[in-house]
């Protein structure tokens, strides 16, 4: 565990006052962190293709009682597909834009994830990390926002948090955010339409063929359940990357990019096989310092960041059920300039206020 000298209240006070700039941190990173290596990039892509192929082969030969293991492996390997597309979206996979766009579409196509719409929305997250009302990844809900919702929406959100359903969060984000090109700027809409068309055409061909050859159960077995496992990791990675009871989300006038990326991004260690299949995407702090760092250089960059900026880093954590339980149970609503509250604390405060 690293030890941070910053607590959330102090950081919230400092976000608008610190002179620290992101470029100051970037200057301390070794130049090698930013060097693209064609061999490493394509090796990662090949590894992902081979691991996904192995996963699907295992699904064809695995007895029914071992299918959960094969599904978990295949879905995690498919998450590696997303990470390749993720590098392409940040233009860190290849030097030529058309190569990034082509590879990004190919690797995100089986996930039915429109490449350009994801790329645009994800870059917005990097620009506004942990900024209230702007960060469009996993962001907290303020009590006043919660109170403005109808009873049905409030009940659904409370059920989602209390029943620890975080693992389906990215399915909703995928469905709501990435297919409607009207939600994008005019100059972005043509790219979004192209990406939506790519995945729609893929689904229109692949799904009927899969069902015709393997039946509805084959569709569920070979695509839907591995896809849900992929979304489990997407949801988990996203919430863990920026959520802890002491990580502040602050208003724009108090927000400092450098401190938000350093302290507001959390390093979490996962089982080594997950790190391998997902190309170290969970070494996430350097990725928020600079999206130009390819995934195969993240560990090198993180070593440098720990050496030079450790006092500003959040404590590291290790993936476990208890970690997820702690995050989802504690980080339910967020009061501006105060921090996270659970629903129980929120209702207790309301009860006291009404007396």
């Amino acid at each position: 565990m690293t030890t941070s000298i910053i607590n959330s209240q102090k950081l919230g006070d400092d976000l608008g006052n610190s002179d620290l700039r992101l470029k100051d941190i970037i200057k301390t990173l070794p130049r090698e962190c930013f060097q693209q290596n064609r061999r490493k990039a394509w090796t990662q892509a090949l590894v992902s293709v081979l691991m996904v192929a192995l996963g699907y082969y295992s699904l064809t030969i695995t007895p029914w009682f071992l299918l959960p293991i094969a599904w978990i492996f295949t879905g995690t390997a498919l998450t590696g597909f997303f990470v390749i597309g993720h590098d392409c979206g940040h233009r860190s996979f290849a030097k030529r834009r058309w190569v990034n766009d082509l590879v990004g579409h190919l690797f995100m196509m089986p996930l039915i994830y429109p490449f350009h719409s994801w790329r645009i929305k994800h870059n917005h997250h990097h620009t506004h990390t942990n900024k209230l009302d702007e960060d469009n990844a996993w962001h907290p809900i303020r009590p006043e926002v919660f109170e403005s919702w109808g009873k049905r929406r409030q009940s659904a959100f409370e059920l989602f948090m209390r029943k620890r359903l975080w693992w389906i969060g990215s399915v909703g984000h995928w469905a709501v955010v990435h297919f409607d090109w009207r939600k994008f700027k005019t100059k972005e809409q043509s790219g979004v339409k192209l990406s939506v068309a790519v995945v729609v055409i893929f689904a229109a061909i692949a799904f009927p063929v899969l069902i015709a050859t393997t039946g509805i159960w084959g569709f569920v077995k070979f695509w839907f359940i591995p896809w849900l496992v992929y979304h489990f990791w997407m949801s988990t990675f996203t919430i863990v990357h920026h959520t802890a009871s002491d990580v502040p989300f602050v208003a724009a006038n108090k927000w400092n990019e450098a401190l938000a990326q350093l302290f507001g991004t959390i390093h979490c260690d996962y089982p080594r096989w997950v790190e391998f299949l997902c190309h170290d995407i969970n070494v996430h702090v350097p990725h928020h310092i600079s999206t130009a760092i390819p995934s195969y250089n993240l560990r090198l960059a993180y070593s440098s960041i720990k050496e030079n900026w450790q006092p500003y880093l959040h404590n590291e954590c290790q993936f476990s059920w208890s970690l997820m339980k702690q995050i989802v149970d504690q980080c339910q609503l967020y009061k501006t300039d105060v921090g996270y509250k659970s629903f129980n604390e929120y209702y207790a405060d309301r009860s006291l206020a009404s007396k």
Side-chain angles (χ1 to χ4, degrees), residues 40 61 100 110 118 123-124 164 174-175 183 192 197 269-270 280 307 314 335 339:
K40 290 182 180 179
I61 63 172
N100 285 306
W118 168 82
N123 282 330
H124 185 86
R164 300 165 190 155
W174 162 82
K183 296 180 179 179
V192 172
D269 289 316
Y270 290 76
D280 289 331
E307 180 179 347
H314 190 276
K335 190 170 183 179

Side-chain angles (χ1 to χ4, degrees), residues 44-45 47-48 51-52 72-87 229-234 236-237 241 268 270-284 294-296 298-299:
Q44 280 192 337
V47 165
S48 278
M51 292 299 100
V52 168
I72 291 170
F73 178 87
T74 306
T76 309
L78 283 169
T79 310
F81 270 26
F82 178 83
V83 177
I84 299 299
H86 177 270
D87 273 15
V229 173
Y230 150 71
H231 272 288
F232 168 87
W233 288 121
M234 279 287 290
T236 301
F237 293 166
H241 281 162
C268 182
Y270 290 76
R272 192 69 196 107
W273 65 274
V274 176
E275 303 277 13
F276 171 75
L277 291 175
C278 299
H279 308 301
D280 289 331
I281 193 58
N282 297 297
V283 186
H284 208 61
S295 54
Y296 46 80
L298 291 174
R299 290 193 180 275

